[in-house]
Amino acid sequence: MEKIVALCKRRGFVFQNSEIYGGQNGFWDYGPLGTELKRNVRNSWYHDMVSAHNELLQPGDAPSKYQMVGVETALIMHPQVWKCSGHYDLFHDMMVDCRETRSRFRLDQVRIRWVSCDGQSIKQENTDAELTRIAVATTEEDFSEDLVVQALRAFGMKKKYAGKLQWDGSATTLDQIEVSEFCDVVAPGATKAGTLTDPREFNLMMKTIIGALGTDDDAAYLRPETAQGIFVNFKNVADSSRVKLPFGICQVGKSFRNEITPRNFTFRSREFEQMEIEFFCRPDASPGWYTYWRDRRYQWYLDLGISKDRLILRDHHAAELAHYSVGTADIEYAFPFLDEGEYGELEGIAHRGDFDLRSHMEGKLTKDENGELVPELNEHGQPRHRGSGKDLSYFDDQAKERFIPHVIEPSAGADRATLAFLCEAYHEDQQPDEKGKLQERLVMKFHPRLAPVKAAVFPLIKKEGMPEKAAEVFGALKAAGLNCQYDQQGTIGRRYRRQDEIGTPYCITIDGDTLTDGTVTIRDRDTLVQERIPADRVAEEVTARLNS
Ligand code: ATP
């Protein structure tokens, strides 16, 4: 992962936000290549899910098709939206503070493991107690090794005594033990046991103030997801665009969450971009559509080059499901910053029933004693959070039925997908240089659709009319709308290396033969095969190869 982060900075994929002022934790900036890469991720998603979408309703059911349309809604919405959606009351993480290191952690992100060490002991904060059995803690994603380091440090033992550690059970997380056991936990980086506070709730929505008065009544929130912008516009879209059920509304845009511990490069940021679909369908058809979207979204990552061994589709256990959900599955990727066998979420596909549309009609919902969703009431017997009171039902004019559609929600993160594509692309191999000597090569094997630069043009030497011919080829590629680079510095081998490092699929060299027979070489990044093609057909050929 360190190599990938270093490459991102060196070649201009991702920079730390406000770096010259020391950075701003949880925020990232994309450089020229990262901007192209992320734009290609976002555009591929929008192209495949919306613009080029042309799916048949059922196999063999031509010619009826379901439609996918886009919206772009504001980052700030009416505060009542978040009250009815549940974010105002429920969108929090449990956090805990360490009194010794003054750090704050998310409870479920602190890994702990019980350990003792040959009768060695450690002090407990504010007591005279010397503990011989403690739980050591870490927030590192590759936690196994770090737990050993923490345990040795806690007991004041050298590395060579790691064998003396007696582990009790396997690693778990802080939210899995009783708060009464916190007095035996040595927090990450702490020297004593028992320095953690009791857990507290922390709402993840970012607050802001609208208008000049600046009172609490003017408080609003930056959206923590793009989905609610779709739900509140369901009726507008249905009434204005003549879509018929089933149909999908899609949105790509920024979301904000006040993450307690942003980390793992862009994986967990406080500002990030989502690519979300709300697919509205008849309640009786929703289980089928859930399976359909779960499989289709998984395949999307494979089609763009993620390998099957690093991508899993994980169905949530019944206990993990939100109360309104029939099913939820996560698409997860084996990011290199995770421990062996651990995966990080790229996308969640959730069956949300009619929960969202009903909440915006009736107010915040809760489950009654029979398991039915009903409006949540306050101590005066009135709705705790009032809904819009608007009718968000749908009239099916073929079945002559009115109902509230059910929703399938594939919700993906553009930054997490971009990071997964960056990690997947990273390869090191060895290739012979001009003298036949093997040289280390760093090559980013991006899918051609995602590659930030599609082609590079090199005149072999800076004279004999080659730069002029190269400029012509470069101009034709640009005119075809392809992002390409022109490079005449250094040996051809070095120019190839520079392009391999940023994942350019094709390099085109203009040489002596170009001037006599009008052909150039085109070199493929992955196969390294070089072929001669007519110079005046380069743009056509590159476009065809990119689309093949
Ligand atoms: P996590 O459990 O990792 O916090 P989540 O389950 O809260 O994620 P969702 O609310 O389902 O995430 O959001 C949908 C998608 O948005 C996620 O799959 C992820 O790709 C992206 N996402 C969510 N939070 C962040 C974040 N802090 N930084 C970057 N991307 C995020």
Side-chain angles (χ1 to χ4, degrees):
M1 194 64 209
E2 276 151 31
K3 288 181 177 175
I4 295 171
V5 174
L7 173 84
C8 283
K9 178 165 164 67
R10 183 159 44 84
R11 295 308 308 266
F13 282 95
V14 181
F15 304 128
Q16 195 182 7
N17 166 269
S18 310
E19 191 181 342
I20 59 169
Y21 288 102
Q24 172 77 353
N25 201 8
F27 297 86
W28 297 94
D29 295 339
Y30 287 85
L33 290 179
T35 302
E36 292 295 328
L37 174 65
K38 191 171 155 196
R39 189 197 307 278
N40 292 340
V41 170
R42 194 196 286 131
N43 286 354
S44 298
W45 183 89
Y46 200 83
H47 173 273
D48 297 347
M49 297 301 119
V50 188
S51 332
H53 163 88
N54 186 22
E55 204 87 0
L56 299 179
L57 186 61
Q58 294 284 333
D61 211 17
S64 71
K65 296 183 175 60
Y66 71 83
Q67 286 190 51
M68 301 288 284
V69 295
V71 290
E72 191 172 314
T73 70
L75 298 185
I76 293 181
M77 305 178 69
H78 194 293
Q80 200 63 16
V81 168
W82 308 111
K83 293 189 172 160
C84 291
S85 69
H87 286 83
Y88 184 81
D89 294 330
L90 301 172
F91 193 54
H92 52 243
D93 281 336
M94 296 305 286
M95 65 175 188
V96 69
D97 289 309
C98 171
R99 285 183 287 262
E100 183 182 335
T101 62
R102 300 197 173 280
S103 316
R104 177 163 287 177
F105 309 106
R106 222 174 96 171
L107 218 56
D108 61 345
Q109 285 179 348
V110 182
R111 312 261 185 175
I112 56 161
R113 197 169 174 196
W114 293 96
V115 64
S116 46
C117 184
D118 238 6
Q120 295 286 334
S121 64
I122 173 171
K123 274 207 163 49
Q124 195 176 43
E125 193 210 24
N126 294 335
T127 68
D128 289 332
E130 291 275 346
L131 305 174
T132 51
R133 179 179 175 271
I134 54 171
V136 285
T138 178
T139 53
E140 293 296 319
E141 289 282 9
D142 52 350
F143 56 88
S144 309
E145 250 175 68
D146 203 52
L147 284 171
V148 175
V149 175
Q150 296 296 334
L152 290 169
R153 210 173 50 85
F155 290 116
M157 304 287 280
K158 291 210 170 93
K159 206 172 168 188
K160 60 179 176 187
Y161 296 115
K164 291 195 184 272
L165 296 171
Q166 288 128 24
W167 297 100
D168 182 359
S170 51
T172 176
T173 47
L174 210 47
D175 56 340
Q176 300 299 315
I177 66 167
E178 299 293 331
V179 176
S180 57
E181 294 177 289
F182 279 21
C183 52
D184 297 338
V185 175
V186 181
T191 56
K192 292 185 204 129
T195 59
L196 290 173
T197 60
D198 283 355
R200 276 179 295 151
E201 285 177 359
F202 177 78
N203 194 296
L204 298 181
M205 283 202 291
M206 271 197 205
K207 216 173 185 177
T208 187
I209 298 286
I210 300 177
L213 290 178
T215 67
D216 233 25
D217 290 346
D218 305 315
Y221 301 95
L222 298 184
R223 65 180 180 197
E225 60 173 35
T226 64
Q228 298 304 322
I230 299 179
F231 291 124
V232 300
N233 279 296
F234 166 73
K235 201 80 181 155
N236 281 339
V237 173
D239 291 349
S240 62
S241 51
R242 303 183 68 225
V243 284
K244 293 255 181 284
L245 226 60
F247 65 88
I249 308 181
C250 308
Q251 160 143 258
V252 182
K254 287 283 177 101
S255 292
F256 299 81
R257 295 183 189 179
N258 218 347
E259 296 281 357
I260 301 167
T261 38
R263 59 200 187 145
N264 291 332
F265 204 26
T266 58
F267 180 83
R268 187 171 301 288
S269 315
R270 290 181 167 139
E271 173 179 340
F272 55 96
E273 198 162 333
Q274 291 185 307
M275 308 185 290
E276 297 199 291
I277 302 173
E278 303 302 332
F279 189 79
F280 300 93
C281 58
R282 289 181 58 90
D284 52 7
S286 62
W289 283 114
Y290 167 66
T291 312
Y292 168 88
W293 278 108
R294 186 180 158 274
D295 298 345
R296 178 160 173 202
R297 290 300 308 149
Y298 180 73
Q299 189 60 39
W300 186 79
Y301 294 94
L302 297 181
D303 290 347
L304 284 172
I306 301 280
S307 78
K308 228 177 175 160
D309 349 321
R310 279 186 285 272
L311 194 72
I312 57 163
L313 187 55
R314 187 180 69 83
D315 288 304
H316 283 207
H317 312 295
E320 275 182 278
L321 290 183
H323 53 287
Y324 44 77
S325 185
V326 169
T328 295
D330 284 345
I331 299 174
E332 299 180 339
Y333 180 70
F335 284 99
F337 50 76
L338 298 173
D339 237 30
E340 183 81 30
E342 300 268 314
Y343 293 83
E345 176 181 329
L346 288 181
E347 173 162 351
I349 297 102
H351 181 295
R352 298 183 61 88
D354 60 3
F355 176 80
D356 304 272
L357 290 177
R358 265 189 68 194
S359 303
H360 288 304
M361 287 170 70
E362 302 169 24
K364 186 176 172 242
L365 300 174
T366 186
K367 238 183 193 173
D368 70 6
E369 59 280 6
N370 305 320
E372 295 295 320
L373 285 173
V374 290
E376 188 178 323
L377 302 179
N378 64 17
E379 63 274 25
H380 310 296
Q382 287 155 342
R384 175 156 160 68
H385 295 304
R386 227 170 259 290
S388 67
K390 300 279 186 294
D391 178 9
L392 302 180
S393 64
Y394 175 88
F395 185 71
D396 185 332
D397 47 16
Q398 276 189 337
K400 301 274 179 274
E401 251 182 280
R402 180 169 288 285
F403 54 87
I404 303 173
H406 275 202
V407 171
I408 312 299
E409 176 187 79
S411 169
D415 305 272
R416 285 198 189 168
T418 303
L419 185 58
F421 289 123
L422 268 165
C423 295
E424 185 74 26
Y426 191 95
H427 284 81
E428 287 172 351
D429 63 14
Q430 291 191 323
Q431 293 299 332
D433 64 11
E434 282 96 347
K435 294 179 190 129
K437 197 167 154 230
L438 279 184
Q439 298 282 358
E440 292 292 328
R441 178 175 85 134
L442 195 175
V443 53
M444 294 297 283
K445 295 194 173 177
F446 291 120
H447 188 284
R449 283 180 78 189
L450 301 182
V453 176
K454 306 298 186 199
V457 181
F458 312 148
L460 185 62
I461 48 174
K462 285 189 245 178
K463 49 190 181 192
E464 293 170 18
M466 290 182 211
E468 291 75 8
K469 192 73 202 160
E472 249 177 61
V473 172
F474 180 76
L477 285 163
K478 280 281 191 186
L482 299 170
N483 191 31
C484 51
Q485 290 191 347
Y486 183 91
D487 188 359
Q488 55 178 22
Q489 293 302 321
T491 64
I492 285 290
R494 290 180 72 168
R495 289 184 246 176
Y496 281 151
R497 299 288 168 276
R498 282 200 282 271
Q499 294 301 326
D500 287 344
E501 212 181 57
I502 61 169
T504 307
Y506 304 108
C507 290
I508 288 114
T509 306
I510 283 77
D511 55 18
D513 290 347
T514 312
L515 308 170
T516 52
D517 67 6
T519 63
V520 296
T521 63
I522 179 166
R523 176 242 196 203
D524 183 295
R525 175 196 70 198
D526 300 334
T527 62
L528 301 173
V529 170
Q530 299 187 25
E531 290 166 76
R532 292 205 77 90
I533 58 166
D536 56 5
R537 289 203 48 242
V538 168
E540 226 175 292
E541 179 66 27
V542 171
T543 308
R545 289 187 184 207
L546 288 172
N547 293 333
S548 68

